[in-house]
Amino acid sequence: MRLAALAFLLAAMLSAAAAAADIWTKFISEPDGFSIEFPYTPTVHEPLPLLVNNVTVSTRGYALNMGKESYLVSVSEYSNKLLISNPQLFLDSLVRKQSQGATVYFNSPVEVGGNPGREVVFAAADDEWIHARDIYASGKLYQVVFREKGKAQSNAREDAARFVKSFRFTGGPR
């Protein structure tokens, strides 16, 4: 009987640990028409105007900073004044700028919901490890970025992949 009680207690502890370890939740942005998994609820930063090639670009951010690790989705709405005629070329150029001076481990085109994207993993000179996806859809640039300060651990890499690859377009505005 003691063995059965011990087995029950061990099973309960393992299931509680598993539940605590998986704290990820699906976050949905109605205004920007996407969903993504964050380990906790992100802070939403209202659109900020940024100047790109003398054209104002409105950018909204969804951020979660957890000390050494940070999770970010930014959505930049490009106006008709800044026409992106070749999205893949635009994304390639963007990734080159993001990873300039870094050690690039992975750099590949991706497609997300039928839209062109680029996925990149690199170690920056300032000892940051970054896993990102840039996606261009309906005049908007979606940037999904995981950053870790210091040497990346295997669990951080798993978290990064889970975060970046969980991005999906919803039926909302884009």
Side-chain angles (χ1 to χ4, degrees):
M1 184 136 111
R2 283 186 181 167
L3 187 57
L6 182 61
F8 176 76
L9 181 61
L10 183 59
M13 288 182 355
L14 287 175
S15 65
D22 195 11
I23 54 176
W24 291 72
T25 58
K26 186 178 199 176
F27 175 83
I28 298 172
S29 168
E30 294 288 331
D32 292 313
F34 73 86
S35 69
I36 191 164
E37 290 184 18
F38 276 94
Y40 292 99
T41 304
T43 302
V44 178
H45 300 276
E46 287 309 310
L48 297 171
L50 298 173
L51 199 60
V52 178
N53 296 334
N54 296 323
V55 175
T56 301
V57 175
S58 176
T59 301
R60 183 185 339 262
Y62 305 84
L64 175 62
N65 189 337
M66 296 180 58
K68 291 178 96 178
E69 299 173 3
S70 61
Y71 302 78
L72 171 71
V73 177
S74 70
V75 182
S76 301
E77 192 162 342
Y78 283 73
S79 71
N80 292 336
K81 294 178 184 175
L82 201 73
L83 182 64
I84 307 296
S85 59
N86 186 333
Q88 197 60 56
L89 189 60
F90 168 69
L91 294 169
D92 291 347
S93 173
L94 185 64
V95 166
R96 274 195 302 279
K97 286 179 186 173
Q98 289 173 334
S99 61
Q100 189 172 5
T103 302
V104 178
Y105 297 105
F106 181 79
N107 182 359
S108 179
V110 294
E111 190 174 284
V112 179
N115 300 289
R118 195 98 195 146
E119 186 168 347
V120 63
V121 176
F122 61 91
D126 62 355
D127 206 25
E128 262 192 334
W129 185 81
I130 297 160
H131 187 161
R133 272 192 180 177
D134 298 324
I135 305 131
Y136 187 77
S138 303
K140 292 183 181 180
L141 172 64
Y142 294 81
Q143 294 182 288
V144 181
V145 182
F146 173 91
R147 294 177 183 269
E148 183 182 30
K149 297 258 188 219
K151 196 172 197 171
Q153 302 298 319
S154 63
N155 64 331
R157 291 182 183 180
E158 290 170 14
D159 289 350
R162 179 175 184 169
F163 175 66
V164 169
K165 294 179 181 190
S166 71
F167 181 91
R168 300 281 183 272
F169 288 110
T170 62
R174 265 193 279 154

